Amino acid sequence: MNIQTELIEQLCGLLTQGPRRIVIVSHTNPDGDAIGSSLAWAEALEQAGHTVTCIVPNRYPYFLNWMPRIREVVIFKDRPEEAQRAVGEAELLFCLDFNALPRLEILSDTIAANTAAHRILIDHHLSPTEGFELAFSYPEASSTCFLIYLLVEALFGTEVITREMAELLYVGIMTDTGNFAYSNLTPELFRAVALLIERGISVPDIHNSVYNAYTAGRARLFGYAINRKMELIQNGRVAYMSLLERELRRFCFQQGDSEGFVNYPLTIKKVKMSAMFLEHHDFIRISLRSRGRVDVNLFARKYFDGGGHKNAAGGKSYLPMEETIARYVEAVAEFAAEGNLA
Ligand code: 5GP
Ligand code: MN
């Protein structure tokens, strides 16, 4: 995978006209790739003399709390004035790990309001929207962190990669590839990881910090979701699970606790597509996963106003849970009838 030379030259042009005030934003419900890519890019830009603020719309999951520099991330929901001030003053605005401003939800209007800043997209989701002066959109990249690695390499050289930056990048690479299990695992990616290891990161420590750091409530909620709430339809080829707010409360739910649940039904040999419906106060957040040629990005776009990647996507529903599920079951039947589950 190669990043276009003209794009790199244009970005280089923007970054070499003296120190800049820069804001980096990433998506709602930020994950390891969103946070890792934002903070690693911030560190590279700061080393080059720029002033950087990282902003996300809402809280990141608690199992990322250990990440280097994570306390520097401004959470818009908690500190809106500080975020608005930084965005208002920004000369360069980097949009990382999402493909369309509405994915910023409560932060979208603030970002849209600054029309003067150079707007640059660095992302690996399908179908990015227009409106970016520069768009590093590479859906074949397994993570935004890998894209940041390639950009740092091209612009500054890998010498600038510190151990801290290597840890940040590794988190996004590890989480977005499902621990090196999904598609787009290229030799270049493993060569990048080799360099991160040369910088002194501990792969087992990072793995433990992210995947083995949950609460007991989360473990029990997982058991409950699989045992009591998982349904199989379409002759066992499609799974779904749902969790209502009152069920979440019973297990002392914290942001991030349901991370990974949607993947589990895909450990069943016959299952090709899995959905998770999570109730928030005024809507239902939908997570979708699939294997092989079953395209949940297409499904999410068509039926649930969402999108993402071919095998991992998401969307929303403003109907009550029962109606959302009924709509899903119907949509899956239509999707199957069109030959999309074969
Ligand atoms: P997750 O299920 O982990 O929240 O999201 C899976 C993938 O789908 C991520 O790459 C995420 O960015 C994308 N995604 C999740 N929700 C939405 C949504 O509402 N709209 C769009 N366009 N993408 C989403
Ligand atoms: Mn990502």
Side-chain angles (χ1 to χ4, degrees):
M1 203 201 87
N2 283 313
I3 297 187
Q4 278 173 276
T5 323
E6 311 94 81
L7 280 179
I8 298 210
E9 280 165 6
Q10 283 171 281
L11 180 58
C12 194
L14 289 175
L15 292 173
T16 50
Q17 297 165 20
R20 299 283 209 159
R21 284 188 302 275
I22 296 178
V23 160
I24 298 172
V25 290
S26 197
H27 59 80
T28 304
N29 293 339
D31 55 10
D33 193 32
I35 298 289
S37 60
S38 296
L39 287 171
W41 189 227
E43 191 169 325
L45 294 172
E46 282 171 6
Q47 278 190 40
H50 305 288
T51 306
V52 187
T53 309
C54 292
I55 306 175
V56 291
N58 63 342
R59 280 206 65 82
Y60 40 79
Y62 61 91
F63 53 78
L64 300 180
N65 279 344
W66 64 275
M67 285 174 74
R69 305 182 51 160
I70 197 158
R71 265 154 212 89
E72 293 169 28
V73 175
V74 177
I75 298 163
F76 178 78
K77 207 172 177 184
D78 298 344
R79 288 146 65 192
E81 290 88 13
E82 194 179 338
Q84 272 155 354
R85 192 173 344 106
V87 173
E89 290 172 355
E91 299 162 280
L92 263 63
L93 206 53
F94 284 97
C95 298
L96 265 57
D97 199 37
F98 67 96
N99 55 2
L101 284 195
R103 289 280 292 130
L104 297 176
E105 299 186 9
I106 55 170
L107 177 59
S108 321
D109 291 345
T110 304
I111 298 298
N114 181 348
T115 49
H118 299 281
R119 207 170 282 185
I120 303 136
L121 178 78
I122 305 177
D123 179 47
H124 69 133
H125 292 89
L126 295 159
S127 322
T129 52
E130 299 286 311
F132 296 97
E133 184 177 328
L134 282 180
F136 293 87
S137 169
Y138 292 92
E140 67 273 34
S142 52
S143 61
T144 299
C145 275
F146 182 46
L147 284 177
I148 293 295
Y149 176 93
L150 295 174
L151 280 179
V152 168
E153 183 181 41
L155 286 166
F156 310 113
T158 53
E159 316 80 76
V160 306
I161 298 179
T162 59
R163 178 186 166 142
E164 213 172 67
M165 217 192 282
E167 280 185 343
L168 293 164
L169 292 173
Y170 187 78
V171 171
I173 291 172
M174 176 184 82
T175 54
D176 261 35
T177 60
N179 222 350
F180 304 95
Y182 303 153
S183 50
N184 300 328
L185 298 172
T186 58
E188 292 75 25
L189 176 75
F190 285 98
R191 275 193 276 272
V193 169
L195 187 128
L196 302 183
I197 293 172
E198 277 168 8
R199 291 295 181 272
I201 66 165
S202 165
V203 167
D205 285 355
I206 296 176
H207 186 280
N208 270 316
S209 302
V210 173
Y211 292 121
N212 302 327
Y214 292 118
T215 60
R218 191 265 186 189
R220 291 189 195 284
L221 177 65
F222 180 55
Y224 171 78
I226 293 294
N227 184 23
R228 306 281 298 278
K229 306 298 302 279
M230 185 179 76
E231 303 288 343
L232 295 170
I233 55 174
Q234 291 288 331
N235 195 22
R237 289 180 304 162
V238 175
Y240 68 87
M241 271 184 277
S242 62
L243 289 169
L244 295 164
E245 273 193 301
R246 64 180 151 78
E247 292 171 305
L248 298 175
R249 269 197 301 275
R250 216 191 309 157
F251 292 92
C252 306
F253 180 83
Q254 297 177 61
Q255 169 84 30
D257 271 351
S258 60
E259 197 89 1
F261 287 15
V262 66
N263 295 308
Y264 205 77
L266 287 171
T267 62
I268 303 165
K269 194 168 185 181
K270 268 180 83 175
V271 172
K272 294 192 164 176
M273 174 170 162
S274 167
M276 169 83 185
F277 302 96
L278 203 66
E279 188 185 46
H280 287 249
H281 30 280
D282 50 356
F283 71 100
I284 292 167
R285 201 175 280 286
I286 305 167
S287 279
L288 295 157
R289 299 291 185 272
S290 62
R291 59 170 128 222
R293 54 172 294 273
V294 178
D295 188 342
V296 284
N297 170 56
L298 194 79
F299 183 87
R301 272 173 198 282
K302 185 158 176 200
Y303 299 105
F304 290 105
D305 186 31
H309 311 284
K310 185 177 169 199
N311 295 135
K316 289 196 208 81
S317 165
Y318 294 92
L319 299 169
M321 188 61 89
E322 276 186 24
E323 288 172 44
T324 299
I325 290 174
R327 189 170 147 61
Y328 173 73
V329 172
E330 245 174 65
V332 166
E334 190 177 289
F335 198 60
E338 289 166 357
N340 292 313
L341 275 184

